[in-house]
Amino acid sequence: MGLTKQYLRYVASAVFGLIGSQKGNIVFVTLRGEKGRYVAVPACEHVFIWDLRKGEKILILQGLKQEVTCLCPSPDGLHLAVGYEDGSIRIFSLLSGEGNVTFNGHKAAITSLKYDQLGGRLASGSKDTDTIVWDVINESGLYRLKGHKDAVTQALFLREKNLLVTSGKDTLVKWWDLDTQHCFKTMVGHRTEVWGLVLVSEEKRLITGSSDSELRAWDIAYLQEMDDLEEPEPKKSRGSPPGIQDTPEPRDGTPETDETPEDRILTCRKAGSIMREGRDRVVNLAVDRTGRILACHGTDSVLEVFCILSKAEVQKKMDKKMKKARKKAKLNSSKGEEEDLEVSVEMTLQDEIQRVTNIKTSAKIKSFDLIHSPQGELKAVFLLQNNLVESYSLSPSAPAPQAVRASRITIGGHRSDVRTLSFSSDNIAILSAAAESVKIWNRATLQCIRTMTCEYALCSFFVPGDRQVVVGTKTGKLQLYDLASGNLLETVDAHDGALWSLSLSPDQRGFVTGGADKSVKFWDFELVKDENSTQKRLSVKQTRTLQLDEDVLCVSYSPNQKLLAVSLLDCTVKIFYVDTLKFFLSLYGHKLPVICMDISYDGTLIATGSADRNVKIWGLDFGDCHKSLFAHDDSVMYLQFVPKSHLFFTAGKDHKIKQWDADKFEHIQTLEGHHQEIWCLAVSPSGDYVVSSSHDKSLRLWERTREPLILEEEREMQREAEYEESVAKEDQPVVPGETQGDNYFTGKKTIETVKAAERIMEAVELYREETAKMKEHKAICKAAGKEVPLPINPILMAYGNISPSAYVLEIFKGIKSSELEESLLVLPFSYVPDVLKLFNEFIQLGSDIELLCRCLFFLLRIHFGQITSNQMLVPVIEKLKETTISKVSQVRDVIGFNMAGLEYLKRECEAKSEVMFFADATSHLEEKKRKRKKREKLILTYT
């Protein structure tokens, strides 16, 4: 093989400038035993944990590639479930910051995550319309619930019953019986998408929010609690309450009974509506953990807070109403009206749920979370649209409650997209400027060390000496800032339109600007007397102007300062002599305007990037086009050469940064990480660092490593990645009895499950080979009449010289619990007979009974037809039946004995401390409450 040119690899170093991204939701998390102090926010593919009190980032939960779309903390506060754009779910430990559990089951972005009361199960809703219930402890899927016709927006477990309620963009609310995994009730009372739902009043009331200004309330009555009450009124099909789907009459013509099939578990009646002040759709609807405070917001910056009154408070309110009504009736009767007037006061929904206040934030709300402090104060934290986190405190019990802003996290990022980046000459400081501010960052610590307000910035650079910076704005002004004091030294009106580009002269005595007023202006630095000080300060003065026929989009000096390249709106690049401003060359060939360009360090090449998605490399001697490269799938937004080389970086609206070789015209590597359009990048003067900014509000730092990058290997890795993606996108394997596309298992085919199936196949093949070798060895020993040494397989030796059958068991134990079923689904049937025989051996030995039974029952389920029709497997199945029943009974007995022992220890502890464990004390009271009559009409009639 011939000598190949080696390049050095750039890798992602850090994400900064981002407080919280818009796609996910903000949640309170418990760390170090403190509640209400720490919040978790999505940050592109990571999750940041912020300390609200100090305004510091204290923990980063590292993601992979996909963007975070949903967060949910576990009830015990130790874990955080994170849903991603590709449908995967990871569960992170908040103590260690590691994500050890991964669930793959959805095909589209996760839209809802919710734990049950104990934290043992997790329900996930997705844009693929499915809801999946996961077993967090066993790290596996339990079942997939299909029924919604559009994205699932919310899923909630009921505390007392084994039920799940889900809402979707298909306007439906569905009730699921988790014992039978089917939908037993569908509520169709909404005309638009249902964006959120909550359960309040001890789960006796459901409140839903949709695309209008109503919050609908539904009363829920459970059949078990209605047994002691009076007989419910007969239901007729035509007399169903609005919003509940009627049950059709039985096909045999028998009259419909009082109790419809859907009402055997619960009944749902519309109780009324609460009107919101906002006219747009409900974005988020939530209650705090006490169930007393209800809050919701739309697409604006107002959070509406409601209080759900207790029964005593409602009764007190009704008494006041009654007193007022009687007083009024008495007054009317004294005026000569009828004496015998009945006074009645009917309770409305507004009497039970009253408005507390509105919390107005500084920008549009994207998500929020509520928590109750021990002092009775309500804390609300908001993730805002402009990359900001705010928290407010509120006392709901106060006579006129007012929300007070408690804290604000602002310094860690810009409020709008960063449009320009620059490195200081010593590679230490990074300048980023957006529509409202200029920030200076320390590259090593990624801390913001200066923030200065500015107008809408488009271009910038550090003045030689790194003590001042110059910023060009959208209004055509030049703004000069002093870094030591953070003050704006001077503002100069440079252009009539936008100032699109700045280029520092190689002699560092001045710079050139290009603007939308069709002119290029030359500026020199000078020292002028400062009015407020005895010392002189830096200023700029205009020396020359070059007038052109089209708007100027980009300007660039050649390193020897002899030539000036100017990109125009007519899709050409004009080259002028700097000293005389005479025209030298015209570079034409792009179909759309050139947005960015740069000249190499030796002045021989110029590279231009255009909105037509192409990059062209030209020679500066004659203006000939060396090569045209199709660089990005969207506009090329920025281009810059690496100092002292002919390598250059391009950034595009296709979310990618690419490195190219201008000599060999080859694509070297792609830096992927941003999730939105990339606006600009900057290469450090040493070439060791690249910083980029994007519409996803993040700034990313890329670092050059010492690792050599060989193009052939890079292409091979790219092909492997494409193959892995294609494997994941292939049709899921079909289980006999199911139709193509209908997958009721919780997992999905991924490259990991395929690799796990391959490992099982390799282990079974090794077992077959070793078994055959053992038979041959016995025959050889018998023929030789003495013991001949047996050659040991190196793989078995690596595992501690174990037997081939034990090696197969080790492989099964090594497969992730969440990928086990899907791996067995991919496994060809030819390996199943050997696996079943091995399972029989393992179960007889009593090792890993639970794992083996899970695998065994799954294989029997998916290969039932082939196994039962295979006569060779009949004795194996018979043996499995005997051994499985006996061994599972033994395991059950051991667990029962242990549970009895724990109960005994519990009773002993209770007897010593006289404190009842767990929720036993409250459960007795709850039982009594349930048996009381609760269906009483709250109409008080007085004569």
Side-chain angles (χ1 to χ4, degrees), residues 593-612:
V594 173
I595 299 171
C596 51
M597 62 182 176
D598 197 17
I599 298 174
S600 63
Y601 75 103
D602 53 5
T604 57
L605 299 174
I606 178 170
T608 58
S610 166
D612 63 7

Side-chain angles (χ1 to χ4, degrees), residues 247-493:
T247 306
E249 280 193 15
R251 290 185 183 179
D252 58 3
T254 54
E256 193 182 43
T257 58
D258 292 350
E259 184 188 285
T260 59
E262 66 176 17
D263 289 339
R264 285 176 191 156
I265 298 173
L266 58 83
T267 58
C268 210
R269 303 267 189 279
K270 188 171 181 182
S273 295
I274 310 162
M275 299 306 293
R276 295 168 46 235
E277 288 183 3
R279 296 291 170 211
D280 47 1
R281 77 172 179 89
V282 172
V283 175
N284 283 306
L285 177 68
V287 289
D288 68 336
R289 287 192 180 175
T290 62
R292 182 170 169 78
I293 300 296
L294 170 73
C296 66
H297 73 89
T299 54
D300 53 9
S301 58
V302 177
L303 180 80
E304 299 180 44
V305 182
F306 301 89
C307 182
I308 297 156
L309 302 179
S310 64
K311 288 184 180 178
E313 289 170 324
V314 172
Q315 190 61 47
K316 194 176 177 183
K317 198 172 183 182
M318 293 309 298
D319 288 346
K320 278 186 181 178
K321 250 185 169 183
M322 192 69 233
K323 196 174 179 183
K324 199 173 181 182
R326 289 181 68 187
K327 195 174 181 182
K328 191 176 179 182
K330 197 174 181 182
L331 195 67
N332 290 337
S333 64
S334 65
K335 289 179 181 178
E337 293 183 10
E338 289 182 22
E339 291 283 337
D340 299 330
L341 261 178
E342 269 195 356
V343 179
S344 66
V345 177
E346 191 170 342
M347 188 175 71
T348 62
L349 191 66
Q350 279 69 25
D351 295 324
E352 295 180 69
I353 301 173
Q354 72 176 27
R355 184 181 296 275
V356 177
T357 186
N358 288 351
I359 300 176
K360 173 84 173 166
T361 57
S362 61
K364 287 185 178 179
I365 303 169
K366 278 295 174 185
S367 65
F368 75 97
D369 197 18
L370 303 171
I371 195 167
H372 240 105
S373 66
Q375 294 80 24
E377 196 178 49
L378 179 73
K379 282 188 178 179
V381 66
F382 300 89
L383 176 60
L384 305 182
Q385 193 181 31
N386 61 348
N387 193 27
L388 195 64
V389 168
E390 285 184 349
S391 73
Y392 289 80
S393 59
L394 177 72
S395 296
S397 56
Q402 288 293 324
V404 180
R405 190 164 73 198
S407 61
R408 200 174 188 214
I409 301 173
T410 61
I411 198 167
H414 288 275
R415 306 285 76 77
S416 54
D417 294 359
V418 172
R419 299 308 296 262
T420 175
L421 292 164
S422 298
F423 264 102
S424 61
S425 59
D426 56 5
N427 308 294
I428 290 176
I430 298 169
L431 177 150
S432 65
E436 81 300 326
S437 64
V438 177
K439 285 183 182 284
I440 308 296
W441 306 83
N442 183 319
R443 178 195 50 77
T445 62
L446 302 176
Q447 295 297 314
C448 178
I449 52 179
R450 275 284 179 277
T451 301
M452 301 163 285
T453 57
C454 72
E455 294 186 25
Y456 199 119
L458 293 175
C459 47
S460 63
F461 65 83
F462 279 87
V463 174
D466 297 335
R467 292 186 179 183
Q468 295 89 12
V469 292
V470 175
V471 175
T473 70
K474 200 172 184 178
T475 54
K477 292 176 182 174
L478 279 172
Q479 294 187 309
L480 182 62
Y481 291 90
D482 179 52
L483 293 185
S485 62
N487 294 333
L488 174 64
L489 296 178
E490 191 176 0
T491 300
V492 180
D493 291 323

Side-chain angles (χ1 to χ4, degrees), residues 714-882:
E714 196 70 11
R715 304 289 176 268
E716 184 64 32
M717 286 165 63
Q718 197 173 346
R719 282 193 290 271
E720 282 179 12
E722 286 173 3
Y723 167 70
E724 289 182 5
E725 277 185 26
S726 66
V727 165
K729 285 178 182 175
E730 283 176 10
D731 291 331
Q732 299 292 319
V734 182
V735 180
E738 289 186 1
T739 56
Q740 183 71 34
D742 280 350
N743 180 18
Y744 289 90
F745 293 118
T746 53
K748 73 172 180 181
K749 186 180 176 184
T750 61
I751 193 66
E752 285 79 17
T753 60
V754 173
K755 285 178 180 175
E758 286 172 356
R759 288 201 300 273
I760 296 171
M761 289 155 65
E762 287 166 6
V764 172
E765 282 169 4
L766 185 141
Y767 166 74
R768 288 172 180 169
E769 289 168 11
E770 290 299 310
T771 308
K773 281 182 188 175
M774 291 282 281
K775 287 180 182 175
E776 287 177 19
H777 177 255
K778 283 180 183 176
I780 290 167
C781 291
K782 195 174 182 182
K786 61 178 182 178
E787 192 67 32
V788 179
L790 174 69
I792 300 171
N793 191 303
I795 297 174
L796 300 177
M797 195 179 287
Y799 274 82
N801 207 7
I802 59 175
S803 65
S805 58
Y807 173 68
V808 176
L809 181 59
E810 286 296 321
I811 293 296
F812 272 101
K813 285 158 72 176
I815 298 170
K816 283 185 181 177
S817 180
S818 57
E819 295 168 0
L820 187 61
E821 275 92 352
E822 205 62 34
S823 303
L824 293 171
L825 197 57
V826 178
L827 189 71
F829 180 73
S830 57
Y831 293 90
V832 172
D834 289 312
V835 170
L836 292 178
K837 289 171 186 172
L838 286 166
F839 281 0
N840 192 25
E841 290 179 25
F842 300 146
I843 292 171
Q844 281 179 344
L845 294 171
S847 56
D848 297 284
I849 299 294
E850 289 180 40
L851 171 70
L852 294 173
C853 285
R854 185 178 160 195
C855 296
L856 173 64
F857 298 150
F858 187 81
L859 287 173
L860 290 173
R861 181 180 170 192
I862 60 174
H863 297 297
F864 179 76
Q866 287 171 290
I867 290 171
T868 51
S869 60
N870 191 331
Q871 293 297 319
M872 301 287 287
L873 288 174
V874 172
V876 178
I877 297 297
E878 286 294 329
K879 285 180 185 174
L880 273 169
K881 183 181 173 184
E882 294 171 14

Side-chain angles (χ1 to χ4, degrees), residues 633-654:
D633 296 329
D634 209 332
S635 300
V636 182
M637 297 304 295
Y638 211 85
L639 184 151
Q640 191 173 346
F641 273 98
V642 177
K644 304 289 186 293
S645 75
H646 280 183
L647 308 179
F648 64 92
F649 282 96
T650 60
K653 279 189 174 180
D654 60 353

Side-chain angles (χ1 to χ4, degrees), residues 525-537:
F525 295 116
E526 64 173 357
L527 290 171
V528 297
K529 190 177 179 183
D530 191 355
E531 296 172 0
N532 304 323
S533 172
T534 55
Q535 295 181 340
K536 290 186 176 181
R537 66 166 178 83

